[in-house]
Amino acid sequence: MHLPYQRGRLHDLADDPAAYDSVLVSVTEEALGRLTPDGSLEHPAAVLDVGDTSLGVTSLLALAWRRTGDARLPAAVRRSLAFHLRERVFTRDNPGSAHLRIRDSGLPYARYALEEGARPVGDWPSTVWALLQAVDLLDLAEGLVEDTPRAELRDLAHGYWRWLTEATLFNPQEAGNQAIGCVVGGLMLARHLPATQGKLVRSRALRLYTDGIRARRVRDRGALLPPEHGGAYDNNYGPISLSFLAQAHRVSGEPVFAQDGDVLARYLDARLTAGGFDVGGPRYSEQHCGFEAVLGLRRFGARIGSDLGRYRGDSRWGRHATGPDGALDGHFAFMLVWQIQDTARWHRTPGTTPVRHRLRAGTVSVAFDDRMTPSLVEAAGTWLLPAAVNRQHGFGPVVDGFLLSRPMGEVRVRDVESEGLTAKLVSKPVVTPDHVLRHVRSLYVTDGTALWTTVAVERLDGNPYLLAGMPYAAADGDRVRRVAEAEVASAGTLRLTHPGTGAADRFDARSRTTQEEAAFALAADPRGYGNPDEGWRHLVATSAYEAGPAPGAPQELHVFAVRHGTPGPFAPVLERVPEGLTIRTEVFTALIGNPAGDARGEPEVWIRRR
């Protein structure tokens, strides 16, 4: 089976002007064929996310007219704008809304669902999207839309802004992407208002960003990130936030948006594997966006000098939103307008600067979490997630059912590059169940095609083994295929175990259940509103590679050595030397320094090709 949402790399889509003109031609033909007598451009089957969508298609037609001069478009734009102004502007409070600060304000808003009282929780973001569609059309309307409807549209956009920032609580869903989108709407609207009004709206937008978003950032892996539905980062919404930050910087020139975008971009670059795969988030684990991410990934990838476009988006939404039948939907159309107007192009080569929470070379990568435990391992096009044992999740030594991966104190990291090899040594103090402090030293080495992991720890009682990952997915062209095994070799014994009970809190990689489905099944709230990251942490056990101790290790140590990515025998030679532990494999020789480290306590490591 294939994962439904993670597909091709977004930078594989052509982004030159001719390619975008082709997209607009396609949009034009479909929209003109759909345009109803009353002027609606909505997808005929749309029920949710519908209140702004006709206006979104209208803005695309306005952009198409600017670029192609198609004589059929002015009349269509005017008719569809008239439809929105007449049929899709709501000024009476939606029954059931819980976020109003001023009742019966009479200010306009857009509905998530047109029916009264139907899911009013979605009205806030729908109004943000409607504001953005409106200001896009205002930017494009000169010479296309007559003065009276243009003035009405400008007043409507200002009303949307006031409803979002006065009549309701700001950012009621605690969704960073929505909140930054609202700020962008204010910044773009300000340019269309009289000078005094525009200055007030701009200053209010910047203040909302500073006080309502930036001051509430959440820390993860050393980065401060805009909060997303109660968490730090979400696979669907995080890249969308990056696009909003890119547009905020484009239209305002304010350095803060570029600075915060750089932080988010570097964070995303670190957690994203070489093949563009990622999981996790407080709203969606595996549902990836498509064209909505392009602007941010493209602009900030160039800024930080890395190939952020490797992100595996949902290519069904590679150009614009579509309905289940694949037909055009106006949802998020403003993002397509912005990326077509933007002149930045993809940076397609990886960054070369060592990053604390990432090891990457060639087709191999390891993403590390806050505790410097691998959160994703990629080798030979296969991705492994942290496995779970006895409710403990991670990669590391296990003794008597206890996983030694949670640090008790400072985690120290040393990066090394030598002769085409890239390595990272992670030195982590941990405490065993009997309160004995141990030093777990994990060396990760790659030549760009395989990953060697060597873990050394003071000798343990019992029968320890290394929890070495749960095989989960593999690249399959422009799709991602579920798997239940990977190319793994071990110096000691190796077994692939499966919990196999069918219980919700045990995940068997051989099943057809996805990580997201399993996570939501254990989340506290309904699917779509719960926290799948939190749900996943409730897993008791998963499928797992378990590697036994390597033979020939010094008597005072347990050493585990595994290789991901290439087949064949694996028999590293281990030797105790005064400086620490040497490892000789078929490709390299490395030294893991003694637990005490150098004169400053920093871990010591060197590596060379054999």
Side-chain angles (χ1 to χ4, degrees):
M1 62 175 284
H2 290 99
L3 298 180
Y5 301 103
Q6 296 202 43
R7 295 173 181 249
R9 296 177 179 89
L10 289 181
H11 68 200
D12 289 346
L13 288 168
D15 65 344
D16 58 279
Y20 280 133
D21 283 340
S22 177
V23 172
L24 288 175
V25 167
S26 174
V27 166
T28 294
E29 296 307 318
E30 185 174 346
L32 291 178
R34 174 187 298 173
L35 185 65
T36 64
D38 64 355
S40 174
L41 287 168
E42 292 166 359
H43 187 289
V47 176
L48 304 178
D49 272 320
V50 68
D52 65 290
T53 57
S54 181
L55 189 60
V57 180
T58 306
S59 71
L60 287 173
L61 295 184
L63 179 61
W65 178 76
R66 286 277 175 205
R67 292 173 69 94
T68 68
D70 189 327
R72 300 172 295 170
L73 294 178
V77 167
R78 292 165 192 154
R79 281 176 58 194
S80 57
L81 173 57
F83 166 80
H84 183 84
L85 294 173
R86 184 181 66 248
E87 304 289 345
R88 293 295 178 260
V89 178
F90 298 88
T91 56
R92 190 172 62 187
D93 293 352
N94 201 353
S97 179
H99 305 305
L100 294 176
R101 299 172 61 192
I102 303 173
R103 297 207 172 272
D104 302 318
S105 68
L107 292 170
Y109 65 95
R111 285 190 176 172
Y112 177 70
L114 300 179
E115 181 185 352
E116 286 218 348
R119 302 176 76 165
V121 68
D123 291 349
W124 202 87
S126 288
T127 305
V128 174
W129 312 152
L131 170 61
L132 294 169
Q133 318 280 27
V135 292
D136 273 353
L137 188 52
L138 286 170
D139 283 351
L140 298 163
E142 187 174 353
L144 181 62
V145 178
E146 296 169 345
D147 290 346
T148 298
R150 280 177 64 192
E152 192 175 348
L153 179 62
R154 183 192 61 223
D155 292 343
L156 174 63
H158 193 197
Y160 283 153
W161 170 257
R162 292 188 60 204
W163 187 86
L164 289 164
T165 60
E166 298 174 23
T168 72
L169 298 172
F170 181 73
N171 191 19
Q173 294 186 23
E174 296 183 356
N177 76 99
Q178 298 172 10
I180 304 170
C182 181
V183 168
V184 172
L187 295 171
M188 296 181 71
L189 170 67
R191 303 181 300 181
H192 293 281
L193 298 175
T196 301
Q197 258 187 339
K199 185 176 180 180
L200 289 173
V201 169
R202 178 186 169 94
S203 63
R204 172 74 166 145
L206 294 175
R207 190 163 64 253
L208 282 171
Y209 181 73
T210 301
D211 299 341
I213 303 170
R214 198 167 197 266
R216 301 182 182 184
R217 288 177 299 172
V218 180
R219 185 177 296 278
D220 186 41
R221 308 184 195 193
L224 284 171
L225 309 171
E228 190 57 65
H229 286 282
Y233 179 81
D234 182 272
N235 278 326
N236 184 52
Y237 293 125
I240 295 175
S241 284
L242 195 64
S243 287
F244 281 130
L245 287 169
Q247 181 68 0
H249 185 243
R250 285 183 67 218
V251 301
S252 73
E254 293 289 336
V256 67
F257 298 117
Q259 294 162 4
D260 292 354
D262 287 347
V263 171
L264 177 54
R266 291 191 179 99
Y267 169 88
L268 193 156
D269 190 36
R271 68 175 288 149
L272 198 62
T273 62
F277 180 78
D278 193 12
V279 294
R283 181 71 184 272
Y284 295 116
S285 292
E286 294 180 339
Q287 294 188 38
H288 280 44
C289 53
F291 76 101
E292 315 99 309
V294 166
L295 179 69
L297 295 173
R298 195 168 65 191
R299 286 186 69 86
F300 283 104
R303 281 184 60 89
I304 69 170
S306 192
D307 56 337
L308 289 184
R310 70 186 187 275
Y311 177 94
R312 283 185 173 262
D314 190 335
S315 55
R316 294 170 299 182
W317 281 34
R319 296 302 193 184
H320 50 70
T322 66
D325 58 356
L328 171 69
D329 189 309
H331 188 46
F332 266 73
F334 50 84
M335 286 289 194
L336 180 56
V337 171
W338 299 344
Q339 65 173 275
I340 292 176
Q341 293 171 331
D342 184 40
T343 58
R345 290 295 171 258
W346 289 114
H347 180 103
R348 289 185 169 88
T349 55
T352 57
T353 304
V355 175
R356 178 178 174 88
H357 292 92
R358 180 192 70 208
L359 174 71
R360 181 185 176 194
T363 59
V364 174
S365 57
V366 184
F368 295 87
D369 63 16
D370 248 348
R371 296 168 169 175
M372 287 306 298
T373 296
S375 61
L376 264 176
V377 169
E378 175 182 18
T382 299
W383 295 288
L384 294 93
L385 305 180
V389 58
N390 293 338
R391 299 186 186 276
Q392 305 157 97
H393 297 232
F395 284 70
V398 177
V399 57
D400 295 332
F402 189 81
L403 175 62
L404 301 176
S405 71
R406 293 176 298 283
M408 181 63 72
E410 181 78 12
V411 179
R412 309 207 189 201
V413 178
R414 182 69 66 88
D415 289 284
V416 177
E417 292 187 17
S418 174
E419 301 177 305
L421 300 168
T422 304
K424 186 183 294 284
L425 176 63
V426 177
S427 182
K428 185 182 299 188
V430 301
V431 176
T432 63
D434 54 357
H435 303 287
V436 175
L437 184 70
R438 305 279 188 172
H439 294 85
V440 176
R441 292 165 291 158
S442 303
L443 177 65
Y444 305 88
V445 180
T446 180
D447 62 355
T449 59
L451 173 71
W452 292 264
T453 303
T454 307
V455 179
V457 61
E458 295 92 339
R459 195 162 190 86
L460 302 164
D461 296 329
N463 298 298
Y465 63 88
L466 181 74
L467 199 64
M470 180 190 80
Y472 181 68
D476 186 11
D478 63 352
R479 298 296 303 273
V480 174
R481 176 172 45 87
R482 273 293 309 281
V483 297
E485 58 184 10
E487 192 65 66
V488 182
S490 173
T493 58
L494 181 69
R495 56 187 179 269
L496 175 59
T497 64
H498 302 284
T501 66
D505 59 359
R506 287 161 173 80
F507 187 85
D508 191 325
R510 298 169 298 181
S511 74
R512 294 183 62 84
T513 304
T514 66
Q515 185 268 353
E516 181 175 270
E517 290 168 339
F520 269 120
L522 296 171
D525 297 307
R527 179 176 174 84
Y529 294 96
N531 184 336
D533 275 0
E534 184 63 36
W536 186 254
R537 283 191 284 270
H538 290 304
L539 279 172
V540 173
T542 66
S543 298
Y545 277 105
E546 300 175 356
Q555 187 173 6
E556 72 277 12
L557 295 175
H558 267 123
V559 179
F560 308 90
V562 296
R563 184 186 63 208
H564 293 86
T566 56
F570 180 47
V573 176
L574 309 171
E575 183 181 359
R576 186 77 170 88
V577 295
E579 298 82 5
L581 174 71
T582 60
I583 307 105
R584 295 185 181 88
T585 73
E586 68 279 15
V587 171
F588 64 87
T589 299
L591 169 77
I592 298 177
N594 290 314
D598 61 15
R600 296 176 299 164
E602 294 296 327
E604 294 185 286
V605 59
W606 59 255
I607 186 169
R608 65 169 181 263
R609 280 193 178 269
R610 291 195 64 180

